[in-house]
Amino acid sequence: SYDFQGQYDLAIEKLQKASELAREVGEIRPLGVALGNLANVYLKKNNPRESLRLALEAEKVLSNHPDKRAYCYSLNAISKAYLALGDYKN
Protein backbone atom coordinates (compact mmCIF):
# COMPACT_ATOMS: atom_id res chain seq x y z
CA SER A 1 0.00 0.00 0.00
CA TYR A 2 2.96 2.36 0.53
CA ASP A 3 3.73 2.03 -3.17
CA PHE A 4 0.21 3.08 -4.16
CA GLN A 5 0.41 6.02 -1.74
CA GLY A 6 3.65 7.21 -3.34
CA GLN A 7 5.64 6.46 -0.19
CA TYR A 8 8.35 4.64 -2.10
CA ASP A 9 11.02 4.63 0.60
CA LEU A 10 8.65 2.92 3.04
CA ALA A 11 7.60 0.47 0.33
CA ILE A 12 11.25 -0.39 -0.31
CA GLU A 13 11.90 -0.85 3.40
CA LYS A 14 8.98 -3.26 3.82
CA LEU A 15 9.68 -5.17 0.61
CA GLN A 16 13.34 -5.60 1.54
CA LYS A 17 12.28 -6.99 4.90
CA ALA A 18 9.84 -9.33 3.16
CA SER A 19 12.55 -10.59 0.82
CA GLU A 20 14.94 -11.14 3.74
CA LEU A 21 12.32 -13.14 5.64
CA ALA A 22 11.44 -15.17 2.54
CA ARG A 23 15.11 -16.04 2.06
CA GLU A 24 15.43 -16.95 5.73
CA VAL A 25 12.54 -19.40 5.64
CA GLY A 26 13.20 -20.64 2.10
CA GLU A 27 9.97 -19.42 0.52
CA ILE A 28 10.62 -19.09 -3.21
CA ARG A 29 7.42 -17.49 -4.48
CA PRO A 30 7.21 -14.73 -1.82
CA LEU A 31 10.88 -13.98 -2.43
CA GLY A 32 10.41 -13.64 -6.17
CA VAL A 33 7.27 -11.55 -5.77
CA ALA A 34 8.97 -9.22 -3.27
CA LEU A 35 11.93 -8.79 -5.63
CA GLY A 36 9.61 -8.05 -8.54
CA ASN A 37 7.69 -5.53 -6.48
CA LEU A 38 10.95 -3.91 -5.42
CA ALA A 39 11.89 -3.66 -9.10
CA ASN A 40 8.64 -1.84 -9.81
CA VAL A 41 9.12 0.60 -6.94
CA TYR A 42 12.68 1.39 -8.01
CA LEU A 43 11.38 2.09 -11.49
CA LYS A 44 8.92 4.59 -10.01
CA LYS A 45 11.86 6.18 -8.17
CA ASN A 46 13.55 6.63 -11.56
CA ASN A 47 16.26 4.07 -10.87
CA PRO A 48 15.94 1.68 -13.82
CA ARG A 49 19.34 0.05 -13.27
CA GLU A 50 18.40 -1.12 -9.77
CA SER A 51 14.98 -2.06 -11.08
CA LEU A 52 16.56 -4.24 -13.76
CA ARG A 53 18.93 -5.87 -11.26
CA LEU A 54 16.04 -6.81 -8.98
CA ALA A 55 13.78 -7.93 -11.83
CA LEU A 56 16.50 -10.21 -13.17
CA GLU A 57 16.97 -11.65 -9.69
CA ALA A 58 13.20 -12.22 -9.43
CA GLU A 59 13.22 -14.01 -12.77
CA LYS A 60 16.08 -16.24 -11.65
CA VAL A 61 14.30 -17.09 -8.40
CA LEU A 62 10.97 -17.84 -10.11
CA SER A 63 12.19 -19.47 -13.33
CA ASN A 64 11.56 -23.01 -12.10
CA HIS A 65 8.67 -22.26 -9.77
CA PRO A 66 5.31 -23.82 -10.70
CA ASP A 67 3.51 -20.47 -10.33
CA LYS A 68 3.98 -19.25 -13.90
CA ARG A 69 1.87 -16.16 -13.18
CA ALA A 70 4.47 -14.86 -10.73
CA TYR A 71 7.20 -15.70 -13.24
CA CYS A 72 5.36 -13.68 -15.90
CA TYR A 73 5.31 -10.67 -13.56
CA SER A 74 9.09 -10.89 -13.23
CA LEU A 75 9.46 -10.93 -17.01
CA ASN A 76 7.19 -7.90 -17.24
CA ALA A 77 9.33 -6.06 -14.68
CA ILE A 78 12.43 -6.84 -16.76
CA SER A 79 10.83 -5.46 -19.91
CA LYS A 80 9.73 -2.26 -18.15
CA ALA A 81 13.25 -1.71 -16.80
CA TYR A 82 14.82 -2.22 -20.23
CA LEU A 83 12.32 0.23 -21.73
CA ALA A 84 13.15 2.81 -19.06
CA LEU A 85 16.84 2.36 -19.86
CA GLY A 86 16.13 2.85 -23.56
CA ASP A 87 17.48 -0.64 -24.29
CA TYR A 88 15.14 -1.87 -26.99
CA LYS A 89 17.35 -4.79 -28.04
CA ASN A 90 16.71 -6.96 -24.95
Side-chain angles (χ1 to χ4, degrees):
S1 64
Y2 289 123
D3 177 18
F4 293 116
Q5 295 171 13
Q7 297 182 35
Y8 302 130
D9 292 333
L10 284 172
I12 289 169
E13 178 185 326
K14 299 303 180 186
L15 288 166
Q16 284 175 335
K17 182 65 175 174
S19 67
E20 290 168 12
L21 289 171
R23 283 184 206 277
E24 185 178 311
V25 298
E27 290 289 334
I28 300 301
R29 186 185 182 285
L31 173 58
V33 170
L35 292 169
N37 287 336
L38 273 167
N40 289 328
V41 174
Y42 272 101
L43 197 58
K44 290 177 182 178
K45 285 189 58 124
N46 199 28
N47 190 341
R49 292 198 188 286
E50 183 64 7
S51 176
L52 180 59
R53 184 189 73 74
L54 290 160
L56 289 169
E57 187 177 350
E59 180 205 13
K60 184 177 179 181
V61 166
L62 293 168
S63 64
N64 292 315
H65 194 274
D67 183 353
K68 297 304 176 196
R69 183 175 168 195
Y71 180 62
C72 287
Y73 285 128
S74 71
L75 295 174
N76 188 49
I78 291 169
S79 67
K80 290 195 295 185
Y82 277 127
L83 285 172
L85 288 166
D87 184 347
Y88 306 113
K89 297 176 191 172
N90 287 307

